[in-house]
Amino acid sequence: MGFRSEGRSTLLVVVVAAGALLGSLPSSASAAGPEDLDAFARALTTGKVSVDLRYRAESVDQKGATEGALASTVRARLGYQTAPFANFYAYADIEAIANVGDDRYNSTANGRTDLPLVPDPQDTEVNQAYVSWSGIPNTSLQLGRQRMILDNSRFIGNGGWRQNEQTFDALTLHTSPLPNLTLFAAHVTNVNLSYGEHNPNQNLANLDVSSELFNLAYKTPIGTATAYAYLVNMQHLPQSSHRDLGLRFNGQASLPGGFKALYTAEYAAQGKYADSDPRINASYYFGEFGVGIGKCTLKVGRELLSSFAGDYSFQTPLATLHNFNGWADKFLTTPSDGLEDVFAGAQASIASFGLTGVYHQFKANNGGAEYGTEIDVALERTFHETYTASVMYAAYDAKTYDTGTNKLWVTLGLKL
């Protein structure tokens, strides 16, 4: 894992996962009785098949571009999980992304740099391939290529918005040694980015890392308290290595009259790690408060990614970035002067439809320049827990940062 050569990381992950599962067999044919071999064969052949199909049309109208972009793509993901055997099971899925019609957009891999960016290149790859062992009570170990989502995915996530999912080549531990206490730990050797394994720019295909991730969470009657340490050593970009140390509290409480209060507070410090740039020194603050009644929720919040004198700003390169700072994706990389995002939003469920609206006001942490504002709206519905449909729209109004952009998405999904 972590090889920069195209395809070698995938091959190694598959071999390791398969070898670990086969290693659960007795060491010799004579030691394995017919019942053992039959049980192993049943585990391999009586597993569960999963199917995940998603079609998306994404249009981008960007100020200054000679024409807009239209990406019409379909993502097919086929997976298989074996039945348990000797406290082991294995899982693998393959993902393919293809254009439906012309590729009138810059996918990062098709050479259409004259068009606005929609980073959903055509590709076929092993998305996940891991073996899991649960021989200790309340504990599981996973080895191989796997999905990873910690807390709200602000620091570690799967980038699930894009057609190609972000996954991690890693050894992970999940354990609950005491009631209400959970511990996650991981050693990560490669990050398979959502731009596709076969992207011609290898820095977009993979992040070659040697990183340790720790996340400790404790549930209380009023919320979950979390402490984390993410030590990210970028092997091929050593100047970008960093460590994140943070605390988070997220919960809700009942209020009179059927109302409920929702609240989140989080702080993290980012600093130098391994061979990184000595200027890496920034802080992260997040606060959100909401009130819910029935199927409606109102929220207000503020997120701050600080800047160190305009030389360095807080970064979260392993996150699900689309979930934060507006759906127009203007702040996937934090500007050098940092970012303050003040937002207010509402969610409601009406006649099986989910409605969401959010307003963002962005400005620089260093210097206070007004970056711009954004409005995001979405209408979604799930049918029979199998089919999903959504229409989403984002409008970014630029003032001093980037360019005004409107984006529209129509998405249809099927999961079996």
Side-chain angles (χ1 to χ4, degrees):
M1 290 176 280
F3 289 19
R4 300 296 294 163
S5 299
E6 180 180 305
R8 292 169 66 185
S9 177
T10 297
L11 177 61
L12 186 57
V13 169
V14 174
V15 170
V16 168
L21 181 63
L22 291 173
S24 64
L25 282 170
S27 59
S28 69
S30 60
E35 297 83 0
D36 296 319
L37 294 175
D38 287 346
F40 181 72
R42 284 195 300 272
L44 291 180
T45 58
T46 61
K48 181 180 179 182
V49 175
S50 59
V51 177
D52 184 344
L53 302 177
R54 184 167 72 184
Y55 169 79
R56 174 177 290 150
E58 178 172 345
S59 70
V60 183
D61 181 13
Q62 186 170 298
K63 187 176 181 179
T66 56
E67 60 179 300
L70 176 61
S72 177
T73 60
V74 62
R75 193 273 312 283
R77 187 181 296 155
L78 178 64
Y80 185 75
Q81 180 174 310
T82 69
F85 176 79
N87 295 315
F88 284 88
Y89 77 84
Y91 176 81
D93 61 42
I94 296 175
E95 190 172 69
I97 299 93
N99 293 325
V100 180
D102 296 333
D103 55 345
R104 292 199 296 109
Y105 64 103
N106 175 10
S107 74
T108 73
N110 61 358
R112 297 299 307 272
T113 56
D114 57 312
L115 296 172
L117 178 67
V118 180
D120 286 328
Q122 296 191 98
D123 203 355
T124 299
E125 65 177 53
V126 175
N127 185 54
Q128 296 188 85
Y130 63 83
V131 63
S132 180
W133 179 76
S134 56
I136 300 173
N138 304 315
T139 300
S140 66
L141 286 167
Q142 285 187 184
L143 174 65
R145 178 163 297 179
Q146 54 196 281
R147 178 180 296 122
M148 203 179 292
I149 303 173
L150 300 181
D151 298 323
N152 64 343
S153 77
R154 187 56 175 109
F155 288 81
I156 309 296
N158 69 327
W161 167 253
R162 299 265 48 110
Q163 295 286 53
N164 191 338
E165 184 177 28
Q166 175 171 285
T167 56
F168 300 79
D169 297 345
L171 172 64
T172 60
L173 166 72
H174 297 77
T175 186
S176 182
L178 298 171
N180 300 318
L181 181 68
T182 59
L183 169 66
F184 172 89
H187 173 67
V188 182
T189 61
N190 190 60
V191 183
N192 311 284
L193 300 174
S194 60
Y195 300 98
E197 181 176 17
H198 303 100
N199 196 296
N201 182 346
Q202 276 297 295
N203 288 331
L204 295 180
N206 298 278
L207 287 181
D208 186 6
V209 302
S210 178
S211 301
E212 278 65 50
L213 312 176
F214 303 96
N215 185 290
L216 183 68
Y218 183 74
K219 288 186 178 180
T220 76
I222 59 171
T224 299
T226 305
Y228 53 83
Y230 304 138
L231 312 177
V232 182
N233 187 349
M234 302 281 213
Q235 300 287 75
H236 69 296
L237 297 170
Q239 290 293 298
S240 298
S241 299
H242 60 274
R243 61 103 181 100
D244 298 318
L245 304 176
L247 297 171
R248 172 182 171 85
F249 189 81
N250 171 254
Q252 64 180 51
S254 298
L255 298 174
F259 288 88
K260 62 181 178 181
L262 306 107
Y263 38 82
T264 302
E266 185 169 2
Y267 169 78
Q270 188 165 87
K272 184 181 184 301
Y273 181 67
D275 297 323
S276 66
D277 189 320
R279 294 175 296 176
I280 292 181
N281 178 20
S283 299
Y284 174 82
Y285 303 87
F286 182 86
E288 183 180 66
F289 180 77
V291 176
I293 179 67
K295 296 182 178 181
C296 298
T297 302
L298 299 174
K299 289 184 178 182
V300 295
R302 176 177 180 264
E303 184 178 42
L304 175 65
L305 296 92
S306 79
S307 168
F308 179 68
D311 290 331
Y312 177 80
S313 58
F314 200 103
Q315 305 291 336
T316 59
L318 307 185
T320 299
L321 293 165
H322 177 80
N323 292 350
F324 303 90
N325 310 135
W327 300 340
D329 290 340
K330 292 298 181 178
F331 300 97
L332 300 183
T333 299
T334 310
S336 59
D337 281 324
L339 173 65
E340 180 182 353
D341 176 7
V342 177
F343 58 90
Q347 291 179 301
S349 179
I350 301 174
S352 300
F353 286 90
L355 298 103
T356 302
V358 187
Y359 173 79
H360 295 267
Q361 189 169 49
F362 305 109
K363 71 176 184 178
N365 167 242
N366 182 56
E370 298 288 340
Y371 286 151
T373 60
E374 182 170 324
I375 296 174
D376 300 324
V377 293
L379 175 66
E380 305 170 274
R381 184 173 180 181
T382 298
F383 304 86
H384 308 296
E385 299 182 354
T386 300
Y387 308 97
T388 58
S390 67
V391 178
M392 303 173 67
Y393 177 75
Y396 174 71
D397 182 12
K399 292 186 178 179
T400 64
Y401 186 80
D402 211 282
T403 57
T405 301
N406 296 330
K407 294 187 177 183
L408 175 68
W409 301 270
V410 177
T411 306
L412 302 173
L414 165 67
K415 286 187 179 182
L416 298 174

